Amino acid sequence: MLARASKDHYPAIHKADPYPLLLDLLQSSDDPMVRARVCNLVGNLCRHSDFFYSALLSKGLIAEVIRCAADKDPNTRKFACFALGNAAFHSADLYSA
């Protein structure tokens, strides 16, 4: 995963605009593994800095990850908490989301 490897890849990832697809997967997938993996990916996007935070927030992904923290699947909950923890670590903006 490029985001996990280095924040040097962040501009290219952002330019690819993965946000609509990720939001769709979180909102529409019946597969808990898909929801868990998307939450894990969001956590990795927030791993090194708050570079992605405004896009994640404005595109509705943070709200969906918050919703996933109450998912019936334990892995989805775990990775949602991982994503939210990384996001909160690098940006105090989450506290008002």
Side-chain angles (χ1 to χ4, degrees):
M1 171 77 184
L2 291 174
R4 195 169 57 187
S6 170
K7 65 182 179 179
D8 295 338
H9 301 292
Y10 284 5
I13 295 168
H14 179 68
K15 187 176 179 181
D17 193 28
Y19 314 109
L21 174 61
L22 298 176
L23 183 62
D24 182 57
L25 288 170
L26 284 179
Q27 291 176 333
S28 65
S29 180
D30 293 331
D31 185 345
M33 182 63 81
V34 170
R35 295 190 308 274
R37 296 288 181 164
V38 172
C39 288
N40 187 33
L41 189 149
V42 171
N44 284 321
L45 291 176
C46 298
R47 184 178 179 136
H48 298 290
S49 75
D50 66 351
F51 180 94
F52 292 102
Y53 191 77
S54 64
L56 294 170
L57 186 61
S58 69
K59 304 287 184 170
L61 277 157
I62 294 296
E64 282 302 310
V65 172
I66 290 170
R67 187 187 60 76
C68 286
D71 196 278
K72 62 183 179 179
D73 175 64
N75 281 323
T76 300
R77 291 193 308 266
K78 175 176 70 174
F79 286 113
C81 291
F82 165 72
L84 294 170
N86 279 354
F89 183 81
H90 292 293
S91 177
D93 291 344
L94 179 64
Y95 308 129
S96 63

